[in-house]
């Protein structure tokens, strides 16, 4: 099977690269590092101005009708440059979910503002006691006349400090299986009773704890059926996992930088490691990393190919997410062993590996097996839906 993206996709990649040359400026990078938020409004609105927030959507919904292969090329280029597009990713996946499960009002009022770059939407799934078991949500939504009152707490709500809405998972029933008592809401973040508290992460990024105390919303804020939130959530998670970007170009750049560092002698350019390219075990470890990068790329492109041919890559997206996350963690650990202290030099240090990209990668890799569904969740999906194995207890 040929996993090349094709001439149209490569032409689009060049267009995206030229756009980033112009708009992904040092000022943008400095703002993102200072805030810890992987979002920049100036860049976000420039992307929206090109119509790229929903580039793959049908034209009748405000998109450009671009193919999944073209979208893969765009994601690869954005990832290669470390472009701060987390707000774009979350907002578009919620907007895409609203096309399937939202009300007519949401389609008419929320979606156009989302894809035009006017608003951001964050994800309110995870709770302190639940972790990746989102079905154990305790944040409670109770009927109150024609509306609802929401009380509870969410954690790791990234970009809550910037978002205009939260796509919120709540508990509306305690009867029956826990995943059948959930309901989704789209809640304005300026609603009274919402408090946002920052959490600073090892990766240098900001996320948040969000408290909901007596938050009142109308029934028109509900997405999908009462107690039908699990089905809405599964739709959103499928879009999230299939949209995982391919980092192969960035990671290959880091591998090449590590290879060059291994060629340097002790004391050259401040080298402080024992890895030598003359050591066959060093060459083998670098080769295995390059193989992992290629395998992750091909798994991602397989999911992309399934989308391009009209399928829904539920299992394949989980395979990609699992291998991508686990190999990234392995990648960073092995390279730090090889590079030694020099591998921890940050952006701005002239001796930093790959201009500091490796130090950022090393700190970020530790969260990869958790976000978007932990590795254990992905293994369950592969086992049960892909292999037909019985549900684990």
């Amino acid at each position: 099977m040929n996993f090349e993206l094709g001439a149209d996709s490569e032409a689009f990649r060049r267009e995206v690269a030229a756009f980033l040359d112009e708009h992904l400026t040092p000022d943008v990078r400095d703002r993102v590092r200072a805030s810890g938020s992987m979002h920049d409004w100036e860049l976000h609105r420039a992307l929206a101005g090109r119509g790229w927030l929903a580039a793959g959507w049908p034209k009748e919904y405000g998109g450009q009708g671009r193919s999944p292969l073209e979208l893969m090329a765009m994601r690869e280029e954005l990832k290669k440059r470390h472009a701060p597009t987390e707000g774009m990713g979350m907002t578009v996946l919620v907007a895409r979910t609203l096309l399937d499960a939202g009300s007519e009002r949401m389609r008419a009022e929320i979606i156009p503002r989302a894809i035009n770059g006017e608003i951001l939407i964050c994800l309110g799934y995870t709770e302190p006691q639940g972790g990746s078991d989102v079905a154990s949500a305790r944040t409670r939504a109770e009927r109150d006349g024609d509306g609802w009152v929401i009380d509870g707490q969410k954690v790791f709500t990234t970009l809550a400090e910037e978002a205009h809405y939260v796509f919120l998972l709540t508990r509306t029933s305690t009867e029956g299986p826990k995943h059948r008592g959930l309901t989704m809401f789209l809640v304005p973040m300026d609603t009274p009773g919402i408090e946002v508290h920052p959490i600073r992460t090892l990766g240098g990024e900001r996320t948040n704890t969000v408290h909901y105390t007596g938050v009142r919303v109308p029934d028109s804020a509900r997405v999908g059926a009462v107690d039908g939130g699990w089905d809405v959530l599964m739709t959103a998670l499928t879009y999230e996992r299939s949209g995982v970007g391919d980092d192969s170009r960035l990671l290959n750049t880091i591998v090449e930088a590590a290879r060059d560092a291994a060629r340097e002698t002790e004391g050259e350019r401040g080298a402080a490691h024992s890895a030598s390219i003359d050591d066959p075990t060093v060459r083998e470890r670098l080769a295995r990393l390059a193989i992992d990068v290629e395998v992750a790329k091909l798994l991602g492109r397989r999911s992309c190919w399934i989308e391009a041919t009209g399928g829904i890559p539920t299992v394949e997206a989980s395979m990609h997410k699992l291998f991508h996350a686990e190999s990234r963690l392995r990648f960073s650990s092995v390279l730090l062993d090889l590079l030694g202290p020099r591998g921890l030099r940050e952006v701005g240090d002239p001796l930093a590996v790959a201009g500091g990209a490796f130090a950022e990668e090393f700190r970020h890799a530790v969260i990869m097996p958790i976000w978007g569904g932990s590795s254990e969740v992905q293994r369950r999906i592969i086992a049960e839906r892909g292999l037909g194995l019985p549900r684990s207890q």
Side-chain angles (χ1 to χ4, degrees):
M1 185 175 293
N2 181 6
F3 284 121
E4 295 300 319
L5 299 182
D8 290 345
S9 298
E10 294 305 327
F12 187 39
R13 182 198 303 281
R14 291 190 292 272
E15 187 179 347
V16 173
F19 168 88
L20 293 175
D21 287 341
E22 178 182 356
H23 293 280
L24 189 55
T25 64
D27 286 344
V28 170
R29 295 186 184 280
D30 289 344
R31 286 198 297 268
V32 169
R33 289 194 180 95
S35 68
S37 297
M38 286 301 289
H39 170 77
D40 182 83
W41 277 109
E42 184 177 305
L43 179 64
H44 185 74
R45 289 175 177 137
L47 285 162
R50 291 292 187 99
W52 289 350
L53 296 191
W57 288 25
K59 293 180 180 180
E60 58 265 32
Y61 295 119
Q64 296 182 337
R66 293 188 181 273
S67 73
L69 302 180
E70 290 176 294
L71 297 183
M72 176 64 80
M74 180 173 73
R75 288 196 296 263
E76 287 179 356
E77 203 61 32
L78 292 170
K79 287 285 187 177
K80 174 186 174 183
R81 308 289 190 97
H82 268 189
T85 56
E86 195 157 352
M88 167 185 170
M90 289 191 296
T91 298
V92 172
L93 83 86
V94 174
R96 184 65 185 85
T97 304
L98 295 179
L99 274 181
D100 294 337
S103 65
E104 288 299 325
R105 181 191 67 83
M106 291 175 183
R107 294 191 188 100
E109 298 178 11
I110 303 297
I111 291 177
R113 296 177 66 203
I115 65 176
N116 288 336
E118 298 176 29
I119 61 173
L120 287 186
I121 305 173
C122 60
L123 307 179
Y125 300 162
T126 305
E127 298 191 2
Q129 83 294 335
S132 293
D133 183 14
V134 291
S136 66
R138 298 179 185 174
T139 295
R140 183 79 180 175
E142 295 187 346
R143 282 279 193 183
D144 182 38
D146 294 334
W148 300 81
V149 177
I150 300 173
D151 290 278
Q153 180 183 354
K154 298 290 181 178
V155 72
F156 306 134
T157 307
T158 301
L159 287 178
E161 77 280 12
E162 296 281 356
H164 299 81
Y165 291 87
V166 57
F167 191 51
L168 187 65
L169 180 69
T170 69
R171 167 86 40 207
T172 46
S173 174
T174 56
E175 299 178 1
K178 61 183 180 181
H179 67 284
R180 288 300 172 198
L182 303 171
T183 303
M184 298 295 305
F185 291 90
L186 189 68
V187 181
M189 285 297 294
D190 61 358
T191 306
I194 298 179
E195 296 181 11
V196 178
H197 302 278
I199 300 172
R200 297 287 176 172
T201 70
L202 176 66
E205 297 175 11
R206 171 181 170 164
T207 186
N208 304 279
T209 293
V210 182
H211 295 269
Y212 300 86
T213 306
V215 176
R216 295 179 176 273
V217 296
D219 190 56
S220 60
R222 176 168 48 84
V223 181
V226 175
D227 296 340
W230 185 254
D231 295 331
V232 177
L233 179 63
M234 289 301 100
T235 298
L237 288 175
T238 296
Y239 290 131
E240 180 177 6
R241 290 162 190 162
S242 65
V244 173
D246 174 25
D247 295 5
S248 61
R249 289 171 178 254
L250 169 65
L251 299 184
N252 277 324
T253 298
I254 295 174
V255 171
E256 290 169 6
R259 179 198 61 195
D260 293 342
R263 288 196 174 105
E264 297 170 0
T265 59
E266 188 71 24
E268 186 178 3
R269 280 178 50 82
H273 55 79
S274 58
S276 169
I277 202 68
D278 296 325
D279 185 338
T281 61
V282 171
R283 294 199 299 272
E284 178 185 351
R285 296 178 84 181
L286 289 173
R288 289 186 179 278
L289 293 182
I291 291 169
D292 277 357
V293 171
E294 183 68 11
V295 170
K297 181 183 82 171
L298 294 176
L299 286 170
R301 292 195 175 186
R302 180 173 67 164
S303 292
C304 183
W305 175 80
I306 290 171
E307 283 190 76
T309 54
I312 300 177
T314 302
V315 174
E316 293 80 9
S318 286
M319 289 180 177
H320 177 220
K321 167 62 173 65
L322 175 63
F323 188 87
H324 179 260
E326 298 285 328
S327 64
R328 287 281 288 274
L329 194 57
R330 186 165 58 246
F331 177 95
S332 295
S333 297
V334 169
L335 279 186
L336 187 61
D337 281 347
L338 295 177
L339 294 168
R342 181 173 166 188
L344 297 178
R345 293 181 182 271
E346 298 281 354
V347 173
D349 188 326
L351 300 180
V353 175
F358 172 69
E360 291 184 339
E361 167 66 20
F362 177 74
R363 287 186 281 104
H364 184 68
V366 294
I367 69 168
M368 296 292 290
I370 301 172
W371 72 267
S374 68
S375 292
E376 289 74 15
V377 170
Q378 308 307 330
R379 289 187 176 96
R380 286 188 61 175
I381 292 172
I382 295 166
E384 295 169 9
R385 302 189 189 185
L387 301 177
L389 299 176
R391 293 179 62 87
S392 59
Q393 298 301 314

